[in-house]
Amino acid sequence: MSATVDQDLSPKIVGAVANAVAILRSLVQRSEPAGVAAIARDTGVSVSTCFNILRTLAGERLVEFDDDAKTYRIGLGVLEFSLPLLGANQADLIRPELLRLSGEHKSLICLWHITDSERIMLVDRVSSARTVRVDMSHGSRLPTYVGAVGRCYAALRDPPREELKQHFDTLQWQAPPSFDAYADDVERAKQDGFAFDFGQLFIGLEIAAAVITDPTGKPRLGISGINIAGQLPRRDIERLAMDLRDSADWISEALFGVSRGVRQSERRIASGRAVPRNQERPR
């Protein structure tokens, strides 16, 4: 004689997961960033639970936190899940990160499309309203090897010195650097993953930049931070450059599937020094 036991095969709902999904849906449906209390009301999740989930989601870059306004918006990290299913405009997807960079560093942040004809074209720009600021026209075009983005581009392309000199000789600068100084900057960009232009491309402007790559290592997009000379202390310009590099690593991973470990390893090889594994993106 045998006995049978009825088993409940209905799916078990995990409350924390359901709450996190509800919070993400709430943010996706909102046209503006929202605070914890508003998100809690919208989802029916308690304020304390909502706060803890939002902090966790922010740590995973699924939401972005504005420290000044104390609000949250959907984050770039969701691209890792959605891009295989979407044909979205890259500039639109990257814009929240540009907004964050501009707000945190009080800088004009520009997104450049790198064309196959070795030009860069300005496709988006975001400027903080809290400072006197410079602006650039949408659609502006420059040669790929010029300026701070150009130094990063040259570092990734890594042409022979003679070929690099040929490219350099075609460039127009308002205050041209020497070729030796330019070549030294390119070498540093190989190590650091970012580069600077201090009043050489445009007199009176200080620029930091980094480049986004695809899985083949091809430069696809450039991100630059631009300020009026003297507006930010040098240490703040350096922090901006490092944040641009880390954002470029993140976007390369989110948009193109490029592992941040791979990009860091490439810089480690170029510099002959170790790069920590699993380095977290600074917040």
Side-chain angles (χ1 to χ4, degrees):
M1 182 175 179
S2 62
T4 59
V5 177
D6 292 334
Q7 293 182 340
D8 183 4
L9 299 180
S10 61
K12 179 177 176 58
I13 303 300
V14 179
V17 175
N19 288 339
V21 171
I23 288 168
L24 288 171
R25 282 180 174 152
S26 173
L27 289 173
V28 167
Q29 293 166 3
R30 287 177 174 271
S31 59
E32 298 290 338
V36 175
I39 298 169
R41 285 195 304 271
D42 189 39
T43 58
V45 178
S46 72
V47 172
S48 61
T49 298
C50 189
F51 174 77
N52 289 329
I53 291 175
L54 283 165
R55 292 297 295 268
T56 302
L57 293 173
E60 295 296 329
R61 295 304 309 278
L62 297 174
V63 304
E64 295 286 346
F65 177 61
D66 185 325
D67 191 52
D68 291 329
K70 307 301 182 188
T71 57
Y72 294 85
R73 67 168 69 231
I74 203 70
L76 189 64
V78 298
L79 295 177
E80 294 181 43
F81 308 110
S82 61
L83 275 180
L85 305 175
L86 299 173
N89 181 283
Q90 291 176 348
D92 291 342
L93 296 170
I94 295 170
R95 176 162 260 265
E97 183 70 355
L98 305 185
L99 289 165
R100 182 193 70 80
L101 288 164
S102 180
E104 290 189 9
H105 297 281
K106 301 180 177 63
S107 303
L108 170 67
I109 304 297
C110 294
L111 179 68
W112 303 87
H113 171 61
I114 300 173
T115 71
D116 291 334
S117 58
E118 294 198 329
R119 306 284 291 182
I120 61 173
M121 181 177 67
L122 184 63
V123 293
D124 200 3
R125 66 198 189 285
V126 175
S127 186
S128 169
R130 291 178 290 179
T131 60
V132 176
R133 60 189 187 273
V134 66
D135 199 6
M136 295 194 71
S137 299
H138 193 278
S140 296
R141 295 173 182 265
L142 294 168
T144 49
Y145 281 86
V146 80
V149 171
R151 290 166 169 89
C152 294
Y153 179 87
L156 286 165
R157 284 306 195 193
D158 195 23
R161 188 176 177 89
E162 296 78 10
E163 182 181 335
L164 182 64
K165 179 66 162 59
Q166 292 174 1
H167 287 293
F168 177 81
D169 288 342
T170 67
L171 303 176
Q172 295 184 354
W173 314 69
Q174 291 188 354
S178 68
F179 172 69
D180 287 340
Y182 173 83
D184 288 344
D185 290 344
V186 171
E187 288 300 314
R188 279 192 289 272
K190 292 178 185 178
Q191 301 173 19
D192 297 333
F194 56 78
F196 301 100
D197 185 289
F198 293 113
Q200 294 163 327
L201 178 57
F202 300 113
I203 293 173
L205 297 185
E206 297 179 337
I207 306 172
V211 166
I212 297 158
T213 61
D214 67 15
T216 69
K218 180 181 178 180
R220 298 290 297 273
L221 297 162
I223 308 180
S224 61
I226 306 175
N227 287 278
I228 297 171
Q231 189 169 355
L232 293 182
R234 185 59 58 92
R235 66 181 180 276
D236 288 350
I237 297 289
E238 292 170 353
R239 284 206 300 266
L240 167 61
M242 289 186 283
D243 205 357
L244 290 169
R245 175 197 61 199
D246 295 336
S247 289
D249 285 352
W250 177 265
I251 295 167
S252 295
E253 181 179 34
L255 285 184
F256 302 110
V258 180
S259 168
R260 279 174 284 179
V262 169
R263 283 173 59 99
Q264 292 167 355
S265 295
E266 290 171 349
R267 290 196 288 272
R268 181 175 65 246
I269 292 169
S271 63
R273 57 183 169 83
V275 175
R277 290 183 178 271
N278 301 320
Q279 180 176 337
E280 292 293 334
R281 186 185 184 287
R283 294 292 301 158

